[in-house]
Short mmCIF file of all heavy atoms in Angstrom, two decimals:
data_model
loop_
_atom_site.label_atom_id
_atom_site.label_comp_id
_atom_site.label_asym_id
_atom_site.label_seq_id
_atom_site.Cartn_x
_atom_site.Cartn_y
_atom_site.Cartn_z
N SER A 1 20.36 213.39 184.27
CA SER A 1 20.78 214.43 185.21
C SER A 1 22.01 215.14 184.68
O SER A 1 22.83 214.56 183.96
CB SER A 1 21.11 213.81 186.57
OG SER A 1 22.33 213.10 186.53
N PRO A 2 22.15 216.42 185.03
CA PRO A 2 23.37 217.14 184.62
C PRO A 2 24.63 216.46 185.13
O PRO A 2 25.65 216.43 184.44
CB PRO A 2 23.18 218.52 185.25
CG PRO A 2 21.70 218.69 185.32
CD PRO A 2 21.18 217.30 185.65
N GLU A 3 24.57 215.87 186.30
CA GLU A 3 25.75 215.19 186.85
C GLU A 3 26.13 213.98 186.00
O GLU A 3 27.32 213.72 185.77
CB GLU A 3 25.51 214.76 188.28
CG GLU A 3 26.72 214.14 188.95
CD GLU A 3 27.97 215.03 188.99
OE1 GLU A 3 27.85 216.28 188.92
OE2 GLU A 3 29.08 214.48 189.09
N THR A 4 25.15 213.26 185.48
CA THR A 4 25.44 212.13 184.61
C THR A 4 26.13 212.62 183.33
O THR A 4 27.16 212.04 182.92
CB THR A 4 24.17 211.36 184.26
OG1 THR A 4 23.63 210.80 185.45
CG2 THR A 4 24.44 210.25 183.26
N LEU A 5 25.62 213.67 182.73
CA LEU A 5 26.25 214.21 181.53
C LEU A 5 27.65 214.72 181.84
O LEU A 5 28.58 214.48 181.07
CB LEU A 5 25.40 215.33 180.92
CG LEU A 5 25.97 215.97 179.64
CD1 LEU A 5 26.30 214.91 178.57
CD2 LEU A 5 25.01 217.01 179.10
N ARG A 6 27.81 215.37 182.97
CA ARG A 6 29.15 215.86 183.36
C ARG A 6 30.15 214.70 183.47
O ARG A 6 31.27 214.78 182.99
CB ARG A 6 29.04 216.59 184.72
CG ARG A 6 30.32 217.27 185.17
CD ARG A 6 30.11 218.07 186.46
NE ARG A 6 29.26 219.22 186.20
CZ ARG A 6 28.01 219.39 186.67
NH1 ARG A 6 27.46 218.45 187.43
NH2 ARG A 6 27.30 220.45 186.39
N LYS A 7 29.70 213.58 184.06
CA LYS A 7 30.56 212.41 184.21
C LYS A 7 30.90 211.79 182.86
O LYS A 7 32.04 211.37 182.62
CB LYS A 7 29.91 211.36 185.11
CG LYS A 7 29.91 211.74 186.57
CD LYS A 7 29.22 210.67 187.40
CE LYS A 7 29.16 211.05 188.87
NZ LYS A 7 28.43 210.04 189.65
N ILE A 8 29.91 211.71 181.97
CA ILE A 8 30.18 211.15 180.64
C ILE A 8 31.17 212.02 179.89
O ILE A 8 32.14 211.51 179.32
CB ILE A 8 28.85 211.01 179.84
CG1 ILE A 8 27.94 209.97 180.50
CG2 ILE A 8 29.15 210.62 178.39
CD1 ILE A 8 26.52 209.96 179.94
N GLU A 9 30.94 213.32 179.87
CA GLU A 9 31.85 214.23 179.15
C GLU A 9 33.26 214.20 179.71
O GLU A 9 34.23 214.33 178.97
CB GLU A 9 31.30 215.66 179.20
CG GLU A 9 30.11 215.89 178.32
CD GLU A 9 29.64 217.32 178.29
OE1 GLU A 9 30.19 218.18 179.02
OE2 GLU A 9 28.71 217.61 177.51
N ALA A 10 33.38 214.01 181.01
CA ALA A 10 34.70 214.00 181.66
C ALA A 10 35.38 212.62 181.55
O ALA A 10 36.53 212.49 181.95
CB ALA A 10 34.57 214.40 183.12
N GLY A 11 34.65 211.62 181.03
CA GLY A 11 35.24 210.29 180.92
C GLY A 11 35.18 209.50 182.21
O GLY A 11 35.75 208.43 182.31
N ARG A 12 34.47 210.02 183.21
CA ARG A 12 34.34 209.31 184.49
C ARG A 12 33.23 208.27 184.46
O ARG A 12 33.12 207.46 185.36
CB ARG A 12 34.11 210.29 185.63
CG ARG A 12 35.31 211.18 185.88
CD ARG A 12 35.23 211.96 187.18
NE ARG A 12 33.92 212.15 187.71
CZ ARG A 12 33.25 213.32 187.73
NH1 ARG A 12 33.78 214.39 187.21
NH2 ARG A 12 32.06 213.39 188.27
N LEU A 13 32.40 208.28 183.42
CA LEU A 13 31.38 207.27 183.19
C LEU A 13 31.59 206.78 181.76
O LEU A 13 30.91 207.17 180.82
CB LEU A 13 29.98 207.88 183.36
CG LEU A 13 28.77 206.96 183.24
CD1 LEU A 13 28.87 205.82 184.24
CD2 LEU A 13 27.51 207.74 183.46
N PRO A 14 32.59 205.90 181.59
CA PRO A 14 33.03 205.52 180.24
C PRO A 14 32.11 204.58 179.50
O PRO A 14 32.27 204.39 178.30
CB PRO A 14 34.40 204.88 180.47
CG PRO A 14 34.34 204.35 181.85
CD PRO A 14 33.45 205.31 182.62
N ALA A 15 31.15 203.98 180.18
CA ALA A 15 30.25 203.04 179.50
C ALA A 15 28.79 203.37 179.88
O ALA A 15 28.14 202.62 180.57
CB ALA A 15 30.60 201.61 179.89
N PRO A 16 28.29 204.51 179.39
CA PRO A 16 26.93 204.87 179.72
C PRO A 16 25.93 203.88 179.08
O PRO A 16 26.26 203.22 178.10
CB PRO A 16 26.75 206.28 179.12
CG PRO A 16 27.79 206.38 178.07
CD PRO A 16 28.93 205.50 178.52
N ALA A 17 24.76 203.81 179.66
CA ALA A 17 23.72 202.91 179.13
C ALA A 17 23.38 203.30 177.70
O ALA A 17 23.43 204.48 177.32
CB ALA A 17 22.48 203.01 180.02
N PHE A 18 23.00 202.31 176.91
CA PHE A 18 22.66 202.54 175.52
C PHE A 18 21.55 203.58 175.40
O PHE A 18 21.62 204.49 174.58
CB PHE A 18 22.23 201.22 174.86
CG PHE A 18 21.82 201.39 173.44
CD1 PHE A 18 22.77 201.65 172.45
CD2 PHE A 18 20.49 201.30 173.06
CE1 PHE A 18 22.40 201.80 171.12
CE2 PHE A 18 20.11 201.45 171.74
CZ PHE A 18 21.05 201.69 170.77
N GLY A 19 20.53 203.46 176.23
CA GLY A 19 19.43 204.42 176.18
C GLY A 19 19.88 205.85 176.43
O GLY A 19 19.36 206.79 175.83
N THR A 20 20.85 206.01 177.31
CA THR A 20 21.40 207.33 177.59
C THR A 20 22.08 207.90 176.36
O THR A 20 21.88 209.07 176.00
CB THR A 20 22.41 207.26 178.77
OG1 THR A 20 21.70 206.78 179.93
CG2 THR A 20 23.04 208.59 179.05
N VAL A 21 22.86 207.07 175.68
CA VAL A 21 23.54 207.52 174.46
C VAL A 21 22.52 207.86 173.37
O VAL A 21 22.68 208.86 172.66
CB VAL A 21 24.57 206.47 173.98
CG1 VAL A 21 25.23 206.90 172.68
CG2 VAL A 21 25.62 206.22 175.05
N VAL A 22 21.48 207.05 173.25
CA VAL A 22 20.43 207.32 172.26
C VAL A 22 19.78 208.69 172.55
O VAL A 22 19.62 209.51 171.63
CB VAL A 22 19.36 206.21 172.25
CG1 VAL A 22 18.15 206.62 171.44
CG2 VAL A 22 19.95 204.91 171.72
N CYS A 23 19.43 208.94 173.79
CA CYS A 23 18.78 210.21 174.15
C CYS A 23 19.73 211.39 173.94
O CYS A 23 19.29 212.45 173.47
CB CYS A 23 18.29 210.15 175.59
SG CYS A 23 16.90 209.02 175.80
N LEU A 24 21.00 211.23 174.22
CA LEU A 24 21.96 212.29 173.97
C LEU A 24 22.12 212.53 172.48
O LEU A 24 22.24 213.67 172.02
CB LEU A 24 23.31 211.97 174.61
CG LEU A 24 23.37 212.13 176.14
CD1 LEU A 24 24.62 211.49 176.71
CD2 LEU A 24 23.28 213.61 176.50
#
């Protein structure tokens, strides 16, 4: 979701799932 990416980029989701990082 765009909100998930927004949180990761802003540092509000500092430990995203491995699969998420792979897909990004």
Side-chain angles (χ1 to χ4, degrees):
S1 74
E3 184 58 23
T4 296
L5 180 54
R6 186 175 292 110
K7 287 179 182 178
I8 294 169
E9 287 184 356
R12 293 193 337 252
L13 183 58
F18 178 72
T20 299
V21 177
V22 169
C23 291
L24 285 167

